[in-house]
Short mmCIF file of all heavy atoms in Angstrom, two decimals:
data_model
loop_
_atom_site.label_atom_id
_atom_site.label_comp_id
_atom_site.label_asym_id
_atom_site.label_seq_id
_atom_site.Cartn_x
_atom_site.Cartn_y
_atom_site.Cartn_z
N LEU A 135 -64.21 51.99 57.34
CA LEU A 135 -65.06 53.17 57.30
C LEU A 135 -65.17 53.82 58.68
O LEU A 135 -65.18 53.12 59.69
CB LEU A 135 -66.46 52.81 56.80
CG LEU A 135 -66.56 52.46 55.31
CD1 LEU A 135 -67.95 51.90 55.00
CD2 LEU A 135 -66.27 53.68 54.44
N PRO A 136 -65.26 55.15 58.73
CA PRO A 136 -65.39 55.83 60.02
C PRO A 136 -66.68 55.40 60.74
O PRO A 136 -67.73 55.25 60.11
CB PRO A 136 -65.47 57.32 59.63
CG PRO A 136 -64.88 57.41 58.25
CD PRO A 136 -65.19 56.11 57.59
N ALA A 137 -66.57 55.24 62.04
CA ALA A 137 -67.73 54.78 62.82
C ALA A 137 -68.90 55.74 62.72
O ALA A 137 -70.07 55.31 62.68
CB ALA A 137 -67.31 54.59 64.28
N ASP A 138 -68.62 57.05 62.65
CA ASP A 138 -69.72 58.01 62.60
C ASP A 138 -70.42 58.00 61.24
O ASP A 138 -71.56 58.46 61.13
CB ASP A 138 -69.25 59.42 62.97
CG ASP A 138 -68.17 59.95 62.04
OD1 ASP A 138 -67.59 59.17 61.27
OD2 ASP A 138 -67.89 61.16 62.10
N LEU A 139 -69.75 57.52 60.20
CA LEU A 139 -70.41 57.35 58.90
C LEU A 139 -71.28 56.09 58.92
O LEU A 139 -72.41 56.09 58.44
CB LEU A 139 -69.36 57.25 57.79
CG LEU A 139 -69.85 57.13 56.35
CD1 LEU A 139 -68.83 57.71 55.38
CD2 LEU A 139 -70.17 55.68 55.95
N VAL A 140 -70.75 55.02 59.50
CA VAL A 140 -71.45 53.73 59.48
C VAL A 140 -72.68 53.73 60.36
O VAL A 140 -73.73 53.17 60.01
CB VAL A 140 -70.49 52.60 59.90
CG1 VAL A 140 -71.25 51.28 60.09
CG2 VAL A 140 -69.37 52.43 58.88
N GLU A 141 -72.60 54.37 61.54
CA GLU A 141 -73.63 54.20 62.57
C GLU A 141 -75.04 54.54 62.09
O GLU A 141 -75.98 53.75 62.33
CB GLU A 141 -73.27 55.03 63.80
CG GLU A 141 -73.95 54.54 65.08
CD GLU A 141 -75.40 54.98 65.16
OE1 GLU A 141 -75.72 56.08 64.68
OE2 GLU A 141 -76.23 54.21 65.71
N PRO A 142 -75.27 55.68 61.39
CA PRO A 142 -76.64 55.94 60.93
C PRO A 142 -77.15 54.90 59.95
O PRO A 142 -78.33 54.56 59.95
CB PRO A 142 -76.52 57.32 60.26
CG PRO A 142 -75.29 57.93 60.83
CD PRO A 142 -74.36 56.80 61.09
N PHE A 143 -76.25 54.38 59.09
CA PHE A 143 -76.67 53.35 58.16
C PHE A 143 -76.92 52.03 58.89
O PHE A 143 -77.84 51.28 58.53
CB PHE A 143 -75.61 53.15 57.07
CG PHE A 143 -75.52 54.28 56.09
CD1 PHE A 143 -74.40 55.11 56.06
CD2 PHE A 143 -76.54 54.52 55.20
CE1 PHE A 143 -74.31 56.15 55.14
CE2 PHE A 143 -76.47 55.56 54.28
CZ PHE A 143 -75.35 56.38 54.25
N ARG A 144 -76.11 51.74 59.89
CA ARG A 144 -76.34 50.51 60.66
C ARG A 144 -77.69 50.59 61.39
O ARG A 144 -78.41 49.59 61.50
CB ARG A 144 -75.21 50.31 61.68
CG ARG A 144 -75.20 48.92 62.32
CD ARG A 144 -74.23 48.88 63.48
NE ARG A 144 -72.85 49.00 63.09
CZ ARG A 144 -72.05 47.98 62.75
NH1 ARG A 144 -72.54 46.76 62.73
NH2 ARG A 144 -70.78 48.20 62.45
N TRP A 211 -70.16 45.38 54.86
CA TRP A 211 -70.78 46.57 54.28
C TRP A 211 -71.43 46.14 52.97
O TRP A 211 -70.81 46.11 51.92
CB TRP A 211 -69.70 47.63 54.07
CG TRP A 211 -70.14 48.94 53.50
CD1 TRP A 211 -69.90 49.40 52.25
CD2 TRP A 211 -70.86 49.99 54.17
NE1 TRP A 211 -70.43 50.67 52.07
CE2 TRP A 211 -71.03 51.05 53.25
CE3 TRP A 211 -71.38 50.11 55.46
CZ2 TRP A 211 -71.68 52.22 53.58
CZ3 TRP A 211 -72.06 51.29 55.79
CH2 TRP A 211 -72.20 52.32 54.86
N HIS A 246 -80.21 57.97 53.19
CA HIS A 246 -80.24 57.28 54.47
C HIS A 246 -81.62 56.66 54.67
O HIS A 246 -82.62 57.13 54.11
CB HIS A 246 -79.95 58.25 55.62
CG HIS A 246 -78.52 58.69 55.70
ND1 HIS A 246 -78.03 59.76 54.97
CD2 HIS A 246 -77.47 58.22 56.42
CE1 HIS A 246 -76.74 59.92 55.25
NE2 HIS A 246 -76.37 59.00 56.13
N GLY A 255 -69.38 63.91 50.59
CA GLY A 255 -68.30 63.40 51.43
C GLY A 255 -68.49 61.93 51.77
O GLY A 255 -67.53 61.15 51.81
N THR A 256 -69.74 61.53 52.01
CA THR A 256 -70.02 60.12 52.30
C THR A 256 -69.72 59.25 51.09
O THR A 256 -69.08 58.20 51.22
CB THR A 256 -71.49 59.96 52.73
OG1 THR A 256 -71.69 60.67 53.95
CG2 THR A 256 -71.84 58.50 52.92
N VAL A 257 -70.17 59.67 49.93
CA VAL A 257 -69.91 58.90 48.70
C VAL A 257 -68.40 58.78 48.47
O VAL A 257 -67.89 57.69 48.16
CB VAL A 257 -70.60 59.58 47.50
CG1 VAL A 257 -70.19 58.90 46.19
CG2 VAL A 257 -72.12 59.53 47.65
N THR A 259 -65.95 59.00 50.69
CA THR A 259 -65.30 58.18 51.72
C THR A 259 -65.54 56.70 51.46
O THR A 259 -64.63 55.87 51.60
CB THR A 259 -65.83 58.57 53.11
OG1 THR A 259 -65.53 59.96 53.35
CG2 THR A 259 -65.19 57.74 54.20
N VAL A 260 -66.77 56.34 51.09
CA VAL A 260 -67.07 54.95 50.79
C VAL A 260 -66.25 54.47 49.59
O VAL A 260 -65.63 53.39 49.63
CB VAL A 260 -68.58 54.75 50.53
CG1 VAL A 260 -68.86 53.35 49.98
CG2 VAL A 260 -69.38 54.99 51.81
#
Side-chain angles (χ1 to χ4, degrees):
L135 288 171
D138 60 346
L139 183 152
V140 171
E141 202 282 327
F143 289 111
R144 192 190 292 272
W211 181 252
H246 287 86
T256 296
V257 173
T259 300
V260 170

